[in-house]
Amino acid sequence: MDVPLIAVTGRRRSAAGLHSGPPALDALVLDAYFTGYAEHVVAAGGLPLHVPGGVDPAAVMDRADALVLTGGNDVAPARYGAVADARTSSLEPERDAFEIALLAAARERGRPVLAICRGLQLVNVADGGTLHLHLEEHAHTREHDVEIVPGSVLGGLYGASARVNSLHHQGVDRVADGLAVTARAPDGLVEGLESEGLVAVQWHPEQQEDAPRPVFRWLVDAVRSPGHRTTS
């Protein structure tokens, strides 16, 4: 069987401090994502395709078999009728627009989607939901349990609960129509969302060294299920 081609989004950053060349390179821009995303796509049996900003989303999803929306900075509050404040982290409105277009292209083609952290928040906003601008109790790295809804995709992957990490300071406020909440933190914060062909988690499974990462296996298996094709 062909290896599924999995599109993985990233972010744009200044090259300053990230190269060993002459200072002139500081003016250049990098497209990058944390290696863990690609490593776990490979471990699950997929072939990661890094998607730089500015390419045609439709062309990407014509060729890719699935999509991973990765973590990053805050989704622009203006997209859900809110106003940024001093705690809002560096906004990337171009990335917001690009990834929303990728999400739409993936759905139009029936491609499975895995959305992680910012990715979950972006999906909710793209579908008409809103976010909490700042959650102090979640604004640092820690571990906690999540309760998972029986019968959901996440429930089939993790069981009734899972130990996860927390590296975010925003979260879902009003859930968009069409998205089902399938996991919550002890304080009630949404930690999992699902719709047909889409699984979104608020935590970072690619950073959990000592925990299983079945969501990546779900993504690859979803490509290979009846009704999906591989392009690689």
Side-chain angles (χ1 to χ4, degrees), residues 36-48 213 216-217 220:
Y37 296 110
E39 288 178 338
H40 296 307
V41 165
V42 172
L47 178 65
R213 291 163 286 269
F216 290 96
R217 171 58 63 184
V220 172

Side-chain angles (χ1 to χ4, degrees), residues 150-166:
S152 64
V153 172
L154 288 176
L157 297 173
Y158 290 92
S161 65
R163 190 75 173 167
V164 304
N165 51 20
S166 181

Side-chain angles (χ1 to χ4, degrees), residues 144-148 159-164 183-186 189 191-192 203:
H144 62 86
D145 293 323
V146 294
E147 297 299 317
I148 301 174
S161 65
R163 190 75 173 167
V164 304
R184 289 188 185 271
L189 186 72
E191 291 276 350
W203 66 91

Side-chain angles (χ1 to χ4, degrees), residues 19-54:
H19 66 86
S20 57
L25 297 181
D26 288 351
L28 299 181
V29 175
L30 301 175
D31 275 290
Y33 57 78
F34 290 113
T35 304
Y37 296 110
E39 288 178 338
H40 296 307
V41 165
V42 172
L47 178 65
L49 168 68
H50 174 54
V51 182

Side-chain angles (χ1 to χ4, degrees), residues 161-178:
S161 65
R163 190 75 173 167
V164 304
N165 51 20
S166 181
L167 291 88
H168 60 99
H169 80 107
Q170 292 194 313
V172 170
D173 184 6
R174 181 173 59 80
V175 179
D177 293 342

Side-chain angles (χ1 to χ4, degrees), residues 19-103:
H19 66 86
S20 57
L25 297 181
D26 288 351
L28 299 181
V29 175
L30 301 175
D31 275 290
Y33 57 78
F34 290 113
T35 304
Y37 296 110
E39 288 178 338
H40 296 307
V41 165
V42 172
L47 178 65
L49 168 68
H50 174 54
V51 182
V55 300
D56 180 5
V60 172
M61 296 316 306
D62 278 343
R63 292 161 175 79
D65 300 302
L67 173 65
V68 177
L69 295 172
T70 61
N73 290 332
D74 295 349
V75 177
R79 283 198 171 270
Y80 51 95
V83 178
D85 63 23
R87 298 170 297 180
T88 306
S89 68
S90 301
L91 301 179
E92 301 171 282
E94 297 85 2
R95 182 183 178 189
D96 294 344
F98 177 60
E99 291 190 342
I100 288 171
L102 273 173
L103 174 64

